[in-house]
Amino acid sequence: MELGILSLSDLQTDPATGTLHDPARRTREIVSYAVAADQAGLDVFGLGEHHSRDFSVANPAVPLAAMAQATSRIRLTSAVSVLSTLDPVRLHQDFASLDHLSDGRAEIIAGRSAFLEAFTLFGIDPAHYDDVFAEKLGLLLAIRDGSDHVTWSGRHRPALDHLPVPPRPQQEKLPLWLGVGGTPTSAERAARLGLPMALGLIGGDIRRARPLAEHYRALGQAAGHRAEALRLAVTSHFYVGVTSQGARDDLYPHYREYLRPKSPGGRGWLVGPDEFHAVSGPLGP
């Protein structure tokens, strides 16, 4: 088992002072968290990608590169790279460069995103949400798994005709995980391709993870993939205190701030004490 930390770089208002996090300071603090995680012996540090004012990091590769120079052993990954709105050529190039800086410690978790901001910003029609993701995932895999020259064609990006995609990573190939929010179709895609699955459990009943994981592994092995290739990562919220109730009391105002809608009509949920008691219990996220 490996343990690590994923940060989404969310910007919150301090419940005690009412002051909003400064994006520059928040980004530097996240780099320091990766250094602390490396020194503590954790295995992986991941950083999310978002394109709204509620988060400080839009391109995880840049802060991850700073972490690469300040750490020595921890693996560094996106969490997730919003592949539907990215150019797979550029994404692979960015993380191959990160692999060089980190001496072979870079990984990618690719996902579709539950937010629409990136689709609007980069001109991707949400109506093609799944088709674009599937096509770009195919190109990313062709670049990662292919030789020095790549030939590929699709509907949503210009074709590649025996073109090099430099630089190649220091590792033989970049580890690529598929980020899954809990839908069976996403787990099935990971299984068919034999890709490790990163399952986000940040809401609902955590017991739903087991049947999804079993379904993923059964389909993956039926598709001919080795069991050891069908790796599983599970992410959830985490906070430690001296006592369980003390931890709940400390975390509640921050968790409420984390989930509340930050702008009129924005995405989020209002969490009261009863709801928080449920999500912080043994079966909550």
Side-chain angles (χ1 to χ4, degrees):
M1 179 186 291
E2 297 179 344
L3 295 175
I5 295 174
L6 306 183
S7 172
L8 299 183
S9 81
D10 49 299
L11 296 170
Q12 298 189 28
T13 299
D14 187 323
T17 65
T19 302
L20 181 67
H21 285 158
D22 172 69
R25 179 178 176 182
R26 174 76 165 133
T27 304
R28 292 191 297 269
E29 286 177 346
I30 290 170
V31 173
S32 75
Y33 300 158
V35 174
D38 184 60
Q39 294 171 347
L42 296 182
D43 300 291
V44 61
F45 193 95
L47 188 55
E49 172 191 334
H50 291 89
H51 299 274
S52 79
R53 294 179 178 178
D54 297 335
F55 302 88
S56 69
V57 174
N59 181 358
V62 177
L64 289 172
M67 297 172 193
Q69 294 291 276
T71 59
S72 61
R73 54 166 302 280
I74 198 166
R75 298 193 66 80
L76 302 168
T77 184
S78 57
V80 301
S81 294
V82 184
L83 184 57
S84 302
T85 63
L86 295 171
D87 185 338
V89 172
R90 175 62 76 184
L91 177 63
H92 192 275
Q93 289 177 326
D94 285 349
F95 277 80
S97 294
L98 175 64
D99 205 47
H100 294 170
L101 286 171
S102 64
D103 195 22
R105 293 183 282 131
E107 302 189 3
I108 298 172
I109 303 177
R112 298 189 296 178
S113 180
F115 296 87
L116 291 178
E117 294 93 347
F119 292 83
T120 302
L121 187 63
F122 294 106
I124 304 298
D125 187 348
H128 301 148
Y129 181 80
D130 193 66
D131 289 344
V132 171
F133 179 79
E135 182 176 289
K136 290 188 174 183
L137 180 59
L139 174 54
L140 182 59
L141 286 169
I143 297 168
R144 186 194 74 150
D145 297 339
S147 61
D148 289 339
H149 292 76
V150 178
T151 297
W152 174 92
S153 64
R155 295 193 302 123
H156 301 285
R157 188 203 185 278
L160 302 178
D161 185 10
H162 196 62
L163 290 177
V165 183
R168 300 304 299 175
Q170 180 167 315
Q171 299 174 83
E172 181 179 353
K173 60 183 181 180
L174 288 173
L176 175 62
W177 296 67
L178 207 61
V180 173
T183 60
T185 53
S186 294
E188 290 162 6
R189 191 197 320 264
R192 289 194 308 271
L193 295 171
L195 291 175
M197 180 173 71
L199 178 60
L201 294 177
I202 57 174
D205 189 320
I206 62 171
R207 289 175 294 186
R208 66 187 172 90
R210 180 166 185 162
L212 193 66
E214 291 175 344
H215 184 53
Y216 157 71
R217 286 179 168 145
L219 283 180
Q221 292 183 54
H225 301 294
R226 294 176 295 114
E228 55 267 31
L230 301 170
R231 302 177 65 197
L232 176 68
V234 177
T235 65
S236 64
H237 294 135
F238 182 75
Y239 182 78
V240 169
V242 175
T243 66
S244 57
Q245 188 56 53
R248 289 188 180 94
D249 293 343
D250 288 345
L251 181 60
Y252 172 61
H254 299 277
Y255 191 79
R256 180 182 58 192
E257 165 64 19
Y258 165 70
L259 287 182
R260 73 168 178 83
K262 303 297 194 297
S263 57
R267 184 182 178 89
W269 300 267
L270 294 174
V271 177
D274 292 341
E275 292 90 348
F276 180 72
H277 181 76
V279 300
S280 62
L283 301 177

